[in-house]
Amino acid sequence: MTAKAVITGIGVATANGLGVDDFWAATRVGKNAIGPVTRFDASSYPARLAGEINGFAAEDHLPSRLLPQTDRMTRLALVAADCAFEDADVRPGDIPEFDMGVVTASTSGGFEFGQNELKKLWSQGSQYVSAYQSFAWFYAVNSGQISIRNGMRGPSGVVVSDHAGGLDAIAQARRQIRKGSKLIFSGGFDASICPWGWVAQIAGGRLSTRSDPERAYLPFDADANGYVPGEGGALLILENEQTARERGARTIYGEIAGYGATFDPKPGSDREPALRRAIEVALADAGVAAEDVDVVFADGAGTPDLDRAEVDAITKVFGPGGVPVTAPKTMIGRLYSGAAPVDVVSAVLSIREGIIPPTTNVECSPAYDIDLVVGQPRPASVRTALVLARGYGGFNSAVVVRETD
């Protein structure tokens, strides 16, 4: 159980970039990609902004046989998997099929596919519903489709814990690497920008209803009033460090060094939220002290109560202003299960380049005693980063990402 799980390949798709280079070129300088919803008419809804991925045509990347059986989120995940394989300089046949697995996270499953098939059911009858509905909507469909397409028959699964799910999936992938698997795909994707998905997100009560893209999603700002949803995510290739070096891996981005997960106490109890404990467990698992952490990638929920709880957790571990904090998801929206894997990508690229990307459009409230990186990217020597994520209903997860030699 001591094998190091390192990241050797990345596939990422967000509103501000498809692929590592485009994503990082936009993220490092704070390019805002939030705008009005275009995938359906949202004019009658209270929330009308999203971080949409424009210009993505699945038929340019995937065989035509896959299109009728996949939701948009799965198409994005399949293309990201191809990109990660290319980035890692690995082909599916290079590693025995039972030594490769897939562990992904999903919050909603294939909502848009499900909506379209339910529409057929109600308007035309059951005989018009696609047989692919049986799995295209399902939370585990990304793991299934990636494993089938690439001949990966090793340990696989899916994690469902909302925004925390992406980190939980990466932690499960690390467990499988430590148990002997040579390569595990992990991360998360969500894409629920459709009427059915939109109603479900609004029902959660945390979406921003502002119409100005520059002032809608403002975590840690005195003017915060909710978040803007987005679509996309990231997939990482994790390998045993020794295996990666033996095969001559082109790039080792960093190590998944520590992980902690907790669950908040029942609302109304006198116990504090459990995010701080998740941070402490992750640091202990990585064998690092608080002063060793160079940057925290915050969950950034964008509501006053949740922002306060996160600030309290961070300051209790690191001290007031004790560590730079950033939430670059303000550029692209919260991607549900895809959000934290994207932050892991940003973390390892920050380590590589020595730059902390900014929290765009935000002016940190004087009520929050944190060193929030705003406005411009901040040059910094980054060797160890902490990524935080919280899911609806009380999920908390934290992952420590560390530089490798």
Side-chain angles (χ1 to χ4, degrees), residues 45-288:
Y45 295 87
R48 297 183 292 276
L49 298 177
E52 293 183 331
I53 298 174
N54 298 313
F56 173 75
E59 58 270 22
D60 294 340
H61 306 279
L62 299 172
S64 59
R65 64 177 177 79
L66 282 175
L67 301 183
Q69 59 180 278
T70 51
D71 180 78
R72 179 174 174 84
M73 70 152 191
T74 302
R75 296 171 184 175
L76 289 166
L78 287 168
V79 173
D82 291 346
C83 292
F85 266 126
E86 182 178 356
D87 187 40
D89 195 25
V90 174
R91 289 174 294 276
D94 292 347
I95 295 174
E97 57 187 6
F98 285 100
D99 286 334
M100 299 190 298
V102 186
V103 182
T104 65
S106 177
T107 294
S108 61
F111 251 50
E112 188 173 31
F113 193 104
Q115 173 189 295
N116 292 336
E117 298 311 311
L118 286 173
K119 183 178 179 181
K120 293 177 187 177
L121 174 66
W122 296 333
S123 63
Q124 297 175 273
S126 59
Q127 66 270 30
Y128 291 93
V129 176
S130 169
Y132 297 124
Q133 167 72 351
S134 61
F135 60 80
W137 71 272
F138 192 46
Y139 303 100
V141 66
N142 290 348
S143 291
Q145 289 283 18
I146 292 169
S147 62
I148 292 169
R149 176 169 163 79
N150 297 290
M152 307 169 78
R153 303 179 69 181
S156 299
V158 64
V159 179
V160 182
S161 48
D162 196 38
H163 286 87
L167 295 186
D168 295 335
I170 290 170
Q172 176 65 9
R174 184 180 71 150
R175 292 189 191 100
Q176 298 303 332
I177 293 295
R178 289 180 164 184
K179 289 180 178 180
S181 294
K182 292 184 177 180
L183 183 151
I184 302 287
F185 259 104
S186 192
F189 269 84
D190 272 302
S192 296
I193 303 179
C194 61
W196 192 24
W198 209 245
V199 170
Q201 293 173 79
I202 290 172
R206 296 179 181 175
L207 262 60
S208 172
T209 56
R210 296 201 176 114
S211 58
D212 182 357
E214 304 293 324
R215 298 300 300 164
Y217 180 24
L218 304 170
F220 310 116
D221 193 299
D223 205 24
N225 87 324
Y227 68 87
V228 173
E231 60 180 352
L235 286 175
L236 314 176
I237 289 182
L238 268 61
E239 295 185 67
N240 182 310
E241 183 182 28
Q242 182 178 348
T243 301
R245 296 195 184 281
E246 287 175 351
R247 75 167 180 84
R250 183 166 55 195
T251 304
I252 295 181
Y253 288 97
E255 176 196 358
I256 303 299
Y259 166 70
T262 56
F263 197 78
D264 284 339
K266 180 181 178 180
S269 72
D270 293 330
R271 297 162 57 197
E272 69 174 17
L275 179 61
R276 179 178 68 162
R277 180 59 180 158
I279 295 171
E280 293 169 342
V281 171
L283 296 180
D285 185 36
V288 301

Side-chain angles (χ1 to χ4, degrees), residues 293-304:
V293 175
D294 301 303
V295 61
V296 173
F297 284 80
D299 176 67
T303 61

